[in-house]
Amino acid sequence: MGKLDTVTVNGPEGDVVDWDAVDWRQVEDDVRRLRHRIFTATQAGDLKKVRNLQKLMLRSRANALCSVRRVTEVNAGRKTAGVDGRVVLEAWEKAQMATWLQHGAPGWLPQPVKRVFIPKANGKQRGLGIPVIADRALQALTVGALEPEWEARFESRSYGFRPGRGCQDAMQAIFVTARGASCRRQWALDADLAAAFDQIDHSHLLDQLGTFPARGMITAWLTAGVMDRGRFAPTERGSPQGGLCAAEHNPPYEQRRVMRSAGRQGLVTAILGVDHCA
């Protein structure tokens, strides 16, 4: 399979998107191959190439199409509006949004998230922050460029907030590790990062992103604030749960930092629970 060129990724200049005629198999394959190139360049330590490929991903028509499809057709909250009351349901609206994304969302400033509360199993309530549909689409676009870089960096035995991984993988790793006759430390640390999303340090997070091309947009999302029953509250730290980038804000490097600070580098197994939005 050959490399993707700019025309393949971005589409012909001036071409109009016909949403109902999109070849989704081809579009998803284009995104997958570009993500793989970012992943491979990260593993090779070629940061300049990583950043160039991420810039290409951020202006990719295929990534824009997949991002709009994700937030308007796939996600459970696709009919949930943010503070602007807007949802995108019609094909022409989706095509228009994809073109807007591909061209860098000119003139856009992230909007505050809308605070809503849902019940938790323990009887308490979980506060969610619902971004407007435009911000959700932009976040999906950004995740497409950011995620493959960090997937190449994360430890092999971290399973939270990662694509294609889940509880079953963690359970399998625990079983395989603990069943051996030579296993010396048959114990597990069960820890919960209390109010993890509420306490995220913006400066630390942005430092981890380094020269990521969409760093400025992520900064704007973090500081966009919250609208709670008509009242605006600034967000000087933390990240509201509910947006597509929320999982990216609480990555496994934070879990690794917590484990090392506790002197537990040699753990046989570690189960780190984070209270988050499913």
Side-chain angles (χ1 to χ4, degrees), residues 80-87 114 132-133:
T80 303
V83 293
D84 61 355
R86 185 189 178 197
V87 294
K114 181 173 70 174
V132 299
I133 190 67

Side-chain angles (χ1 to χ4, degrees), residues 51 79 87 97 112 142 155-156 165 177 191 222 232 237 258 263:
R51 295 297 182 241
K79 295 183 180 179
V87 294
M97 177 169 281
T142 303
E155 295 179 352
S156 60
R165 295 181 178 225
T177 302
L222 289 172
F232 175 80
R237 63 184 297 114
V258 170

Side-chain angles (χ1 to χ4, degrees), residues 104-115:
W108 179 254
L109 293 176
Q111 302 297 299
V113 298
K114 181 173 70 174
R115 176 71 75 189

Side-chain angles (χ1 to χ4, degrees), residues 3 33-54 145 148-153:
K3 290 185 177 181
R33 285 187 287 160
L34 189 49
R35 283 173 61 97
H36 182 69
R37 290 179 64 190
I38 295 172
F39 181 91
T40 302
T42 303
Q43 286 187 319
D46 191 344
L47 183 59
K48 181 178 180 180
K49 185 175 182 180
V50 170
R51 295 297 182 241
N52 287 335
L53 289 171
Q54 287 174 328
E149 176 192 356
W150 283 94
E151 275 297 301
R153 297 186 181 191

